[in-house]
């Protein structure tokens, strides 16, 4: 679940379950930057041959939120920039351009951002997808170098008949890093037919979780569903939970005729596959449905179920509170929205949630409190480099109360 656009300025809540996970924004204070070539594919390969280096390729699009976050929050990290500039020929290709589109098609890019590690002859060495914080991104880049150095030897051993469990864990990991998903699936489909389960090591199961398709027609996935207890001993609980949530939401999104039937069907599967956290996920889906219907009484009821089921962070609390400000007029709803906004500020005080507190106090007619929080929001916004013009306009209106 890899993707959420948590927009702190506009505080909009996206109508999908992925919003439950959020992205950890990696704060960037350094002024470094990966030095990217933005030229033709042939010139990139020629430079790689001249310097005897691997090529790192960022396939992106100008409209892609996670792509922009990688530029701002990861590629600008000094440690990341220094390592990549010293180790790789770095290139960027916009998938919406003629040149970038050709590169994307050549390597079968289907999601953005996609990061490719390619040798000087244009052969794919490794591939990773999606937003990654700096430590994960660096680790993936280091693994790509290991793939280049180790793959030929491992492949020779595999072709010679080596099948020990430790070796297979290493071999599958290298194949997965290379992006050879079909080869991984073929090997794992053979393993699940064995009566002996010694192959279920942490290394192998972590690859298994990445390459199976969350679909009830996929043999690897059905085996996973039937042997969750075995997987739970070796795979992190959060990872198993995320896979199951993705499966349930995707299944009912494809099958349902409308949001109401999707929420109802998904709730049943949440209770079946994830009974301990079913309320959390089901209530979020119901919130999404009631928001689409502008049914704010039931939205708030589902929201309370969601709040009871977990501990939302300051971003979520702020998003919920902003919905209250935008759409609700009942005094009880506005008071609860204010409580959530204040709790968000208590967790982490930023421009967005102070702005929300000010807006809710303004809606309640509480001039002094609204003024105080609007001023705090403007000060924080300027420090964060945010656009504070809307808050400044609200401050002008507050002063007229």
């Amino acid at each position: 679940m890899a993707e959420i656009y948590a927009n702190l300025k506009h505080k909009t809540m996206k109508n999908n379950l992925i919003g439950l996970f959020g992205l950890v924004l990696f704060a960037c204070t350094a002024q470094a930057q990966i030095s990217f070539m933005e030229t033709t594919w042939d010139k990139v390969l020629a430079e790689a041959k001249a310097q005897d280096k691997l090529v790192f390729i960022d396939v992106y699009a100008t409209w892609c939120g996670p792509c922009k976050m990688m530029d701002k929050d990861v590629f600008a990290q000094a440690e990341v920039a220094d390592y990549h500039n010293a180790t790789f020929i770095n290139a960027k290709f916009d998938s919406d351009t003629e040149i970038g589109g050709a590169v994307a098609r050549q390597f079968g890019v289907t999601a953005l951002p996609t990061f490719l590690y390619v040798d000087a002859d244009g052969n794919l060495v490794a591939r990773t997808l999606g937003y990654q914080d700096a430590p994960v991104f660096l680790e993936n880049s280091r693994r790509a170098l290991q793939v280049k150095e180790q793959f030929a030897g491992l492949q020779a051993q595999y072709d010679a008949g080596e099948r020990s469990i430790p070796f297979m864990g290493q071999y599958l990991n290298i194949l997965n890093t290379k992006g050879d998903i079909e080869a991984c699936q073929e090997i794992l489909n053979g393993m699940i037919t064995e009566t002996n389960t010694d192959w279920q090591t942490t290394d192998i199961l972590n690859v298994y979780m990445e390459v199976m398709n969350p679909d009830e027609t996929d043999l690897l996935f059905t085996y996973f569903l039937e042997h969750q207890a075995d997987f739970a001993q070796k795979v992190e609980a959060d990872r198993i939970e995320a896979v199951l949530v993705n499966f349930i939401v995707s299944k009912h999104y494809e099958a349902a005729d409308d949001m109401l039937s999707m929420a109802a069907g998904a709730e049943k599967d949440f209770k079946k596959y994830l009974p301990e956290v079913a309320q959390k996920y089901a209530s979020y889906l119901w919130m999404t449905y009631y928001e689409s219907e502008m049914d704010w009484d039931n939205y708030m009821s589902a929201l309370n179920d969601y709040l009871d089921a977990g501990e939302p962070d300051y971003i979520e609390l702020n998003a919920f509170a902003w919905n209250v400000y935008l759409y609700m007029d009942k005094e009880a709803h506005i008071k609860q929205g204010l409580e959530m906004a204040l709790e968000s500020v208590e967790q982490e005080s930023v421009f967005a949630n102070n702005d929300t507190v000010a807006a809710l106090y303004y809606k309640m007619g509480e001039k002094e409190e609204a003024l105080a929080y609007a001023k705090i929001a403007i000060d924080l916004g300027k420090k964060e480099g945010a656009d504070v013009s809307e808050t400044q306009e609200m401050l002008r209106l507050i002063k007229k109360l």
Side-chain angles (χ1 to χ4, degrees):
M1 285 217 179
E3 292 181 30
I4 173 184
Y5 300 93
N7 187 325
L8 278 180
K9 174 61 185 79
H10 295 98
K11 301 169 280 286
T12 54
M13 189 169 70
K14 294 295 175 181
N15 288 338
N16 59 63
L17 195 62
I18 299 169
L20 286 173
F21 295 102
L23 283 175
V24 179
L25 304 182
F26 200 93
C28 173
T29 57
Q31 298 300 312
Q33 182 60 258
I34 293 178
S35 179
F36 286 103
M37 296 180 67
E38 296 194 57
T39 182
T40 66
W41 179 231
D42 288 341
K43 288 182 178 179
V44 170
L45 292 181
E47 188 66 23
K49 287 182 179 179
Q51 295 194 36
D52 191 24
K53 289 182 177 180
L54 280 184
V55 178
F56 166 74
I57 303 169
D58 172 21
V59 183
Y60 72 100
T62 56
W63 47 262
C64 167
C67 301
K68 295 176 183 177
M69 291 168 64
M70 289 298 298
D71 275 335
K72 177 178 179 291
D73 301 322
V74 180
F75 297 160
Q77 288 285 320
E79 184 179 6
V80 171
D82 290 346
Y83 179 76
H84 262 254
N85 290 337
T87 309
F88 300 103
I89 300 301
N90 301 287
K92 269 182 167 301
F93 290 98
D94 183 342
S95 61
D96 290 330
T97 65
E98 182 178 352
I99 294 174
V103 172
R105 288 189 295 274
Q106 178 178 343
F107 292 102
V109 172
T110 58
L112 299 176
T114 288
F115 306 118
L116 305 170
Y117 301 84
V118 179
D119 67 23
D121 293 320
N123 300 310
L124 181 65
V125 173
R127 170 201 311 261
T128 62
L129 304 174
Y131 179 87
Q132 303 159 27
D133 65 23
V136 171
F137 179 73
L138 277 173
E139 177 60 26
N140 286 334
S141 293
R142 294 185 178 110
R143 284 176 62 192
L145 286 180
Q146 293 173 358
V147 170
K148 180 188 177 186
E149 296 166 358
Q150 298 175 9
F151 179 69
L154 290 172
Q155 186 63 53
Q157 288 179 264
Y158 183 81
D159 291 342
E162 172 64 72
R163 295 295 186 275
S164 68
I165 300 303
F167 169 81
M168 290 306 297
Q170 188 178 13
Y171 181 61
L172 281 166
N173 188 46
I174 290 286
L175 284 177
N176 185 39
T177 302
K178 279 179 62 63
D180 198 343
I181 305 304
E182 290 184 1
C184 292
Q185 291 170 336
E186 182 178 352
I187 292 170
L188 290 167
N189 274 314
M191 288 180 169
I192 64 176
T193 63
E194 300 175 8
T195 55
N196 190 320
T197 59
D198 289 347
W199 61 270
Q200 292 182 5
T201 65
T202 298
D203 286 342
I204 292 176
L205 291 183
N206 277 327
V207 173
Y208 190 117
M209 295 294 289
E210 289 191 21
V211 303
M212 69 178 178
N213 294 316
D215 185 294
E216 288 171 313
T217 63
D218 181 72
L219 291 177
L220 293 178
F221 187 69
T222 54
Y223 181 90
F224 159 73
L225 291 178
E226 293 166 1
H227 298 82
Q228 279 188 63
D230 296 332
F231 279 72
Q233 295 179 26
K234 303 289 177 62
V235 180
E236 292 182 358
D238 287 349
R239 190 171 190 183
I240 291 175
E241 183 177 311
V243 166
L244 288 171
V245 170
N246 182 48
F247 156 64
I248 293 167
V249 173
S250 298
K251 170 185 173 181
H252 291 282
Y253 178 82
E254 295 295 333
D257 294 326
D258 51 48
M259 186 63 195
L260 176 61
S261 55
M262 175 189 172
E267 183 173 24
K268 291 180 181 178
D269 272 350
F270 284 135
K271 291 177 178 177
K272 175 181 178 181
Y273 293 110
L274 292 165
E276 294 182 359
V277 291
Q279 180 178 326
K280 171 184 174 182
Y281 293 109
S283 59
Y284 194 95
L285 267 186
W286 284 116
M287 285 167 57
T288 304
Y289 167 68
Y290 291 128
E291 181 180 357
S292 71
E293 296 292 308
M294 304 292 279
D295 182 349
W296 300 116
D297 286 335
N298 279 317
Y299 172 91
M300 292 302 286
S301 177
L303 171 58
N304 286 325
D305 288 341
Y306 181 73
L307 295 175
D308 289 342
E311 298 180 356
D313 63 18
Y314 75 100
I315 296 175
E316 285 185 296
L317 288 167
N318 188 54
F320 301 149
W322 188 247
N323 260 7
V324 172
Y325 169 71
L326 288 177
Y327 304 116
M328 302 180 208
D329 296 312
K330 288 188 177 181
E331 183 179 355
H333 293 166
I334 296 172
K335 285 184 177 179
Q336 184 173 351
L338 179 61
E339 290 173 2
M340 290 187 293
L342 288 169
E343 184 179 343
S344 175
V345 170
E346 185 175 348
Q347 286 188 21
E348 184 159 349
S349 182
V350 295
F351 161 59
N353 50 25
N354 280 278
D355 178 60
T356 301
V357 173
L360 286 164
Y361 272 129
Y362 170 61
K363 193 166 189 172
M364 296 169 68
E366 301 287 349
K367 181 175 180 178
E368 296 306 317
E369 290 84 353
L371 278 173
Y373 278 95
K375 290 176 181 177
I376 293 170
I378 290 170
D379 287 343
L380 288 170
K382 290 178 178 178
K383 292 177 182 176
E384 295 170 18
D387 179 0
V388 299
S389 58
E390 291 181 10
T391 311
Q392 288 171 328
E393 174 60 18
M394 179 173 64
L395 181 62
R396 186 183 67 79
L397 296 173
I398 293 169
K399 289 177 178 177
K400 292 183 176 181
L401 286 176

